[in-house]
Amino acid sequence: MFAQLSFLNTAYAAHPLVSEDTGTQGVGGYQIEVNADWLKDEGVKSRVATATLTKGVLENLDTFINLPYTTSEPNGINDVSVGFKWRFFDADGFSVGLKPEYRFASGDQEKSLGDGRSGESLTLMTQYMWGRFTWLFNAGFEHHRYSDPAKNDESRKYIQKSSVAMLYAINDQWTALIDSGVKSHVSKQEKSDPQFVVLGLIHQVSDDLDLDIGYKKALNHTDIDKQIGMGMTYRFK
C-alpha cells in the first residue's frame, strides 16, 4: 500500500520519464499528455492513467493541471495537482528551472487514493543539450499531510527525491532514453529508499504528436517491482 501511495502522489514528467525537462510551450501554446501504466508489485497488479493539460503563459513559463486516475480496484480519481514550470536560466544548451506544485485532497484517502489533505512539492530542473544527447537532473521534495491519524504517525511528511536521465536522438523520429532516481520511502519504518531505472522510446510522429513506451524496474525491494506504460503527447495553439 505504501509503494502504491508513493506512486500515485507523484506527478510525472514527459512520459515515460520521471525526470522533468526545462522545455516550455511558449505563449499561447497548449499540450495534452495522456498515458496509462500497468504495475506489478509483490504479485499485486494495478493500473493507473494520467491526463495533463499544459498552457504556455510566457516563453519560459507554463501552467498545468494533472489528473491521475486509478483504473484498477479500488478505482477512482487520485489527488489532482496544479502548478507551473519556470525556466529562469538558458544559455549555450544549459538551462535551469523550477516546478512548484500544489495537490488537492481529491482522492479517497480510505481507498489509499490520496493523502486526505492537500500538499505541495518543488522540483529543481537542470538540462544540458549537446549534439544528439540531452542530460536531465532533478532534485526536490514533496510535502504530505494525512487526515488519517495512524497514517500521519507512521508516514513521512517530507519526501526527498532526485533523478538523472539521458536521452539520445537516434534520428528525427526516434529518441531513446534511460532515467534513474531515488526518493524517500513513505514509511518511517523503512530504512531503504526506493530506487528505480526507466528505459524507453519516444516516437515523434509529427511536430505536434509524440507516442512513447517505457519500462520501469525497481533497483531494490522498496520500489514497485516493475511498470510498463504507454503515452501520447499532442501540442497545439
Side-chain angles (χ1 to χ4, degrees):
M1 181 191 70
F2 275 116
Q4 293 295 325
L5 184 61
S6 177
F7 173 83
L8 294 174
N9 280 322
T10 301
Y12 275 76
H15 198 269
L17 287 164
V18 173
S19 299
E20 181 74 64
D21 62 52
T22 61
T24 52
Q25 303 307 306
V27 179
Y30 287 87
Q31 177 177 272
I32 296 176
E33 299 171 86
V34 180
N35 53 69
D37 290 272
W38 292 259
L39 302 84
K40 185 176 181 180
D41 189 46
E42 298 181 350
V44 178
K45 297 180 180 179
S46 56
R47 302 183 306 275
V48 294
T50 305
T52 304
L53 174 63
T54 302
K55 178 183 179 181
V57 179
L58 303 173
E59 286 301 321
N60 64 337
L61 180 67
D62 285 351
T63 61
F64 66 87
I65 180 169
N66 191 63
L67 305 169
Y69 193 94
T70 297
T71 58
S72 55
E73 293 296 333
N75 63 63
I77 193 167
N78 308 120
D79 287 348
V80 174
S81 62
V82 296
F84 62 86
K85 183 200 287 191
W86 173 42
R87 186 179 63 255
F88 60 84
F89 179 83
D90 192 352
D92 299 324
F94 179 72
S95 54
V96 185
L98 286 173
K99 182 182 179 183
E101 191 166 358
Y102 180 84
R103 294 186 313 278
F104 297 95
S106 53
D108 190 335
Q109 190 269 336
E110 294 183 358
K111 295 181 179 180
S112 294
L113 298 178
D115 292 342
R117 296 182 64 189
S118 61
E120 306 85 29
S121 65
L122 179 66
T123 304
L124 173 69
M125 312 166 295
T126 62
Q127 175 174 314
Y128 180 64
M129 302 177 66
W130 181 69
R132 292 181 177 270
F133 290 93
T134 300
W135 286 270
L136 308 175
F137 174 73
N138 288 182
F141 73 93
E142 301 169 5
H143 181 207
H144 294 266
R145 303 180 183 89
Y146 305 97
S147 59
D148 185 341
K151 187 172 293 183
N152 190 62
D153 290 339
E154 63 191 17
S155 304
R156 289 189 172 95
K157 310 300 186 299
Y158 289 93
I159 303 294
Q160 298 179 349
K161 56 185 179 180
S162 61
S163 62
V164 59
M166 183 187 74
L167 296 84
Y168 176 72
I170 302 171
N171 52 40
D172 292 340
Q173 285 77 43
W174 292 94
T175 299
L177 64 91
I178 182 170
D179 195 355
S180 185
V182 60
K183 67 184 299 184
S184 307
H185 201 284
V186 176
S187 173
K188 293 179 181 178
Q189 303 301 317
E190 180 58 64
K191 303 303 181 184
S192 180
D193 292 332
Q195 302 174 34
F196 66 87
V197 63
V198 177
L199 299 174
L201 282 172
I202 300 175
H203 176 45
Q204 187 174 6
V205 180
S206 67
D207 290 341
D208 299 323
L209 178 64
D210 295 342
L211 302 177
D212 66 75
I213 186 169
Y215 175 71
K216 181 173 177 278
K217 182 74 175 69
L219 295 180
N220 61 6
H221 72 281
T222 58
D223 208 331
I224 293 173
D225 292 340
K226 56 185 177 181
Q227 171 185 330
I228 298 175
M230 297 183 295
M232 178 187 73
T233 301
Y234 179 63
R235 294 170 290 273
F236 63 96
K237 287 191 175 183

